[in-house]
Amino acid sequence: MKEIVIISGKGGTGKTSVTAAFATLAKNLVLVDCDVDAADLHLVLTPTILETHEFFGGKTARILQEHCTRCGLCFEVCRFHAISYACRHTDDRPGMVWTIAPVACEGCGVCANFCPRQAIAFEDAMNGYWYRSDTRVGPMVHARLGVAEENSGKLVTLIRREARAIAEAQESELILVDGPPGIGCPVIASLSGADHVVIVTEPTVSGIHDLERVVTLAAHFRVPASVIINKADINRDNAVKIVHYALAHGVCVLGEIPYDPVVTQAQLVCQSIIEFSKSPASESLHTIWARLHQQVMKESGV
Amino acid sequence: MQIAIASGKGGTGKTTLAVNMARLLSRHESVQYVDCDVEEPNGHLFLHPAITQTTSVTIPVPEVNAERCILCGACSRLCQYHAIAALPALTMVFPELCHGCGGCLRVCPEKAITEVGRPIGVVERGMAGIVAFVHGRLNIGEAMSPPLIRAVQTYADPHATVILDAPPGTSCPVIAAIRPCDVVVLVTEPTAFGLHDLTLAVEMVRALNRPMGVVINRADIGDDRVELFCEQEGIPIWGRIPHDRRIAEAYARGEMAVDVLPDTIPCFTAIMAAIRSEAPV
C-alpha cells in the first residue's frame, strides 16, 4: 500500500482538481482531505457521510465570573494576549471584568493553573468534526476544522490514521491525500511518513518561489517528490525554469497541464476533469497519472 | 487604517490585489505593505523591496538546569503540548513542540527553568520605491507560524495606510494576521471552491467581529452563486476584477497590473474607493 500526498506550497494551483482527477483514475483507493481548514475535495466527490465524529484537539480557558476576584493575575501570565478587560460593570464589585477571547486562547492552561481562586475553567474544546464517508470512487476520510479553531495538525494526523486503518482493512493499494497549502503545521502533519509527495505548481514567480520552499520541506522529511506544472502555457520561460529546478533537486517532472477552462466548468458541476469530458487537460492527466504510478513503483524498487 | 486582504481559498488573488493597491495608494498617501503569509510570502516578488533590516524571531523555550531540578514533574504536568517530560533521571525538553507559554518556568518550585530563544523565522523590512515593506519568512520545517505572524504585525505603522496580505485558510495563522486589522477584504472567485471557502472565511471574520467586503477575482469565469451568497448575507461586493489573460501573464512574470496594464487601474481605484466609502473606519 502506498500513501501519496498532493501539495503545492502556493494555494490555488490546482491541488484539489488534480487529486479528484487521480481519484477517478485510480482503483481500490482510500481518499483523505487534509486541507482541514478549507476542504474542497468533497465538492467534487460528493461523499455520503457514514459516520460523523467530534474532534477534541485541545483545551480552552473560560473565566467563571462568579468566582473571579478581578485580581488580574491571568492577564499578567497570558502570553497570547487572549485576556482583556472591560470597565463596564454589571455589579458594584470593584476591579476590571476580565474575559478570554476564545480565538486567541492557545489552550496552554497557564491562567487556570495560577488563578488563586480556581475561577478559570479549563475544558476540552471541540475544534471540529471528522467524517468517514463513501464516494463513487471509494471510501473517503475528511474533516471540518471549526472556523477560527486550532490544532489543525492534530486533526490531519487523526484523519490520516483513520484512512490507513480503512485501507488496511480493505487491502487498498493506495491512500490519496489532498494536502493543505503552505509549509506549516498541517502540511508537515500531512506529509511526514508518506511514501511520495506530488507538488502541483504553476509557472509564475510565486509558484516557483513557493515550489522551492516546499521541495526543501519534502527533502527535510525525506519524502520523495515529483512535480506537475499546471497552466504550463501561461509562461513558457518559467515552465522551463521549473523543469531545470526539479532536475537539479532530484524531483521527477511528471508533466504539464495546459490552461483549460474545462477545469472550472467541471468543478461547477461536481465532476472531476476526467469524468467531465475529453479535453487537453484530461489527456495530460492520464499521462501524468501513468508516470506517477511508474515513479512510485520505481522508488519502492519494484 | 489597517486593511487585511484575506481569503479562505488559496490562489484567489490576495497578493495581486494587495500589491496593486499598495502601489496605487502610494501615489497619494503613506502606504505600508505587510506580508503575513509567512509560510509562502510572495509580495516581494512583485514589489522588489530593498531589504535593509532583518530581525530574527524566536519563541521562548525552556532550558532545564539539571543541578537545580528535583525531577518533581510539575512542569511536565502543566505543559499541554508534551514539550517537557520529567523522566526518572532527567527532565527533557522538546523545543519544536513548545508554544512558549512560559508555564513551566512559572510552576517550577526550584527555579530550575530559564528560557532561551528558539529561532522560527525572520522579519525583513525595507522600502519598495515609496512603499514601506515588511514581511516574515518562516523557517522551512517549522510548524508554528502564528508567533512569527504576530511579530510581523508589531511592525505595522499606525501612521500609514497598511495593506496586510494574510495567509489563506480560516485557522490560527489567519486569525493571528487579521485580528488587529480594521477592515477585511475577502478575495474570492466565482467557482464552487471559491464560494465554499468564502462561506468559511465570512464565518471567521464574523467570529472576529470585523467589517468586511468581497472582491470577486476572475469575475466572469464561473457562475453567479458568489454574488447571490453575498446578497443574501448582506456582505457588500467592493469590486470585480475581470478574467484577463494579460493580468495572469503579468503576474506570472512578477509584474504588477497597475504598472504594465494602465487600463486595469480604474478597476483597482474603484475597489479602493468602495473600501473607503463603505468601511466604517
Side-chain angles (χ1 to χ4, degrees):
Chain A
M1 187 214 313
K2 297 288 172 199
E3 187 179 26
I4 300 177
V5 185
I6 321 284
I7 56 171
S8 66
K10 175 169 160 43
T13 58
K15 268 185 311 294
T16 302
S17 296
V18 167
T19 307
F22 286 170
T24 43
L25 287 165
K27 303 255 167 4
N28 193 14
L29 85 165
V30 176
L31 280 156
V32 193
D33 191 346
C34 284
D35 190 359
V36 295
D37 62 297
D40 285 334
L41 189 61
H42 66 283
L43 298 172
V44 180
L45 296 174
T46 54
T48 308
I49 293 172
L50 306 175
E51 293 170 21
T52 301
H53 299 266
E54 291 178 336
F55 166 64
F56 293 90
K59 292 185 166 187
T60 193
R62 182 170 54 88
I63 296 176
L64 306 168
Q65 297 298 343
E66 64 277 22
H67 301 306
C68 177
T69 59
R70 299 177 180 169
C71 70
L73 182 66
C74 53
F75 174 77
E76 273 173 50
V77 300
C78 177
R79 287 194 174 167
F80 304 105
H81 312 294
I83 299 177
S84 57
Y85 64 87
C87 294
R88 207 168 38 166
H89 285 199
T90 49
D91 53 46
D92 50 10
R93 289 160 57 202
M96 317 269 209
V97 179
W98 301 97
T99 53
I100 299 175
V103 294
C105 176
E106 190 96 356
C108 70
V110 172
C111 59
N113 189 79
F114 290 99
C115 175
R117 294 297 174 96
Q118 287 86 47
I120 300 181
F122 190 50
E123 300 152 331
D124 283 334
M126 222 263 288
N127 299 135
Y129 296 93
W130 66 272
Y131 314 96
R132 275 183 71 150
S133 297
D134 217 357
T135 73
R136 58 187 181 274
V137 295
M140 172 164 162
V141 186
H142 49 128
R144 180 171 170 183
L145 188 69
V147 161
E149 287 292 354
E150 316 228 343
N151 296 301
S152 56
K154 277 189 193 168
L155 182 54
V156 165
T157 304
L158 186 155
I159 61 176
R160 275 182 72 200
R161 198 170 57 224
E162 291 296 326
R164 184 159 286 272
I166 298 172
E168 277 165 5
Q170 304 196 350
E171 299 183 349
S172 302
E173 286 154 28
L174 173 68
I175 302 173
L176 191 61
V177 180
D178 191 5
I183 60 162
C185 165
V187 183
I188 291 171
S190 299
L191 67 79
S192 60
D195 295 292
H196 188 92
V197 54
V198 177
I199 304 165
V200 183
T201 189
E202 59 180 33
T204 63
V205 290
S206 322
I208 295 174
H209 174 267
D210 297 354
L211 169 73
E212 293 178 4
R213 284 168 71 80
V214 93
V215 164
T216 312
L217 184 74
H220 183 92
F221 287 94
R222 297 194 174 83
V223 184
S226 57
V227 65
I228 297 172
I229 309 169
N230 194 10
K231 304 174 206 164
D233 49 331
I234 210 93
N235 188 315
R236 285 297 346 156
D237 293 347
N238 283 339
V240 171
K241 273 187 203 155
I242 292 172
V243 173
H244 284 298
Y245 176 83
L247 292 176
H249 290 81
V251 173
C252 165
V253 179
L254 294 175
E256 296 182 346
I257 305 171
Y259 176 78
D260 191 341
V262 155
V263 178
T264 303
Q265 291 161 19
Q267 200 191 98
L268 290 173
V269 294
C270 308
Q271 288 186 346
S272 81
I273 302 157
I274 303 294
E275 294 166 312
F276 184 69
S277 69
K278 209 166 139 91
S279 63
S282 73
E283 306 258 301
S284 43
L285 278 159
H286 274 280
T287 317
I288 288 169
W289 173 243
R291 286 211 193 112
L292 172 61
H293 189 77
Q294 280 172 3
Q295 178 64 22
V296 172
M297 286 298 128
K298 198 167 95 188
E299 282 161 8
S300 58
V302 177
Chain B
M1 168 149 157
Q2 281 196 38
I3 305 170
I5 315 292
S7 77
K9 176 167 160 39
T12 54
K14 274 184 304 296
T15 299
T16 301
L17 180 63
V19 295
N20 281 291
M21 273 176 61
R23 180 79 106 211
L24 270 186
L25 280 172
S26 70
R27 294 177 182 175
H28 310 287
E29 59 193 83
S30 165
V31 173
Q32 187 191 34
Y33 169 86
V34 177
D35 196 346
C36 282
D37 189 358
V38 302
E39 294 181 39
E40 298 289 19
N42 287 154
H44 67 285
L45 300 169
F46 301 89
L47 289 164
H48 304 289
I51 299 296
T52 48
Q53 281 149 312
T54 302
T55 315
S56 173
V57 174
T58 60
I59 62 166
V61 298
E63 200 167 64
V64 180
N65 177 341
E67 310 222 315
R68 301 189 89 156
C69 175
I70 54 165
L71 302 168
C72 69
C75 52
S76 167
R77 283 191 298 277
L78 180 75
C79 181
Q80 294 295 313
Y81 313 109
H82 310 292
I84 190 162
L87 306 177
L90 84 162
T91 297
M92 245 178 112
V93 176
F94 302 94
E96 67 285 0
L97 297 178
C98 175
H99 287 220
C101 71
C104 52
L105 174 85
R106 203 171 270 279
V107 80
C108 177
E110 300 297 318
K111 304 211 179 328
I113 297 177
T114 49
E115 286 183 319
V116 290
R118 183 174 75 85
I120 57 166
V122 292
V123 174
E124 295 177 319
R125 286 179 292 157
M127 291 300 291
I130 52 170
V131 176
F133 179 96
V134 187
H135 76 178
R137 298 178 72 81
L138 185 69
N139 290 347
I140 294 171
E142 176 57 55
M144 243 174 290
S145 61
L148 177 57
I149 294 169
R150 286 191 286 265
V152 173
Q153 261 285 359
T154 61
Y155 293 98
D157 179 355
H159 306 294
T161 300
V162 174
I163 305 291
L164 183 138
D165 204 343
T170 60
S171 61
C172 16
V174 60
I175 300 290
I178 70 178
R179 201 166 163 238
C181 289
D182 300 301
V183 54
V184 182
V185 182
L186 295 174
V187 186
T188 189
E189 55 183 34
T191 62
F193 295 176
L195 171 64
H196 176 260
D197 298 348
L198 174 66
T199 59
L200 299 176
V202 163
E203 223 181 296
M204 168 193 74
V205 182
R206 283 189 178 143
L208 290 169
N209 200 19
R210 293 290 181 281
M212 68 176 133
V214 165
V215 168
I216 307 176
N217 193 15
R218 297 185 276 268
D220 40 2
I221 61 165
D223 58 17
D224 60 357
R225 282 181 287 173
V226 166
E227 304 254 352
L228 292 173
F229 168 78
C230 292
E231 198 181 304
Q232 277 163 15
E233 297 289 322
I235 301 161
I237 295 175
W238 283 337
R240 295 169 186 81
I241 304 171
H243 175 60
D244 183 340
R245 193 173 165 108
R246 295 174 311 149
I247 299 180
E249 286 173 354
Y251 178 87
R253 291 189 298 268
E255 292 170 353
M256 278 186 273
V258 298
D259 288 344
V260 297
L261 302 165
D263 57 315
T264 62
I265 291 175
C267 175
F268 290 103
T269 312
I271 291 170
M272 288 178 319
I275 297 170
R276 281 267 156 84
S277 68
E278 292 198 55
V281 272

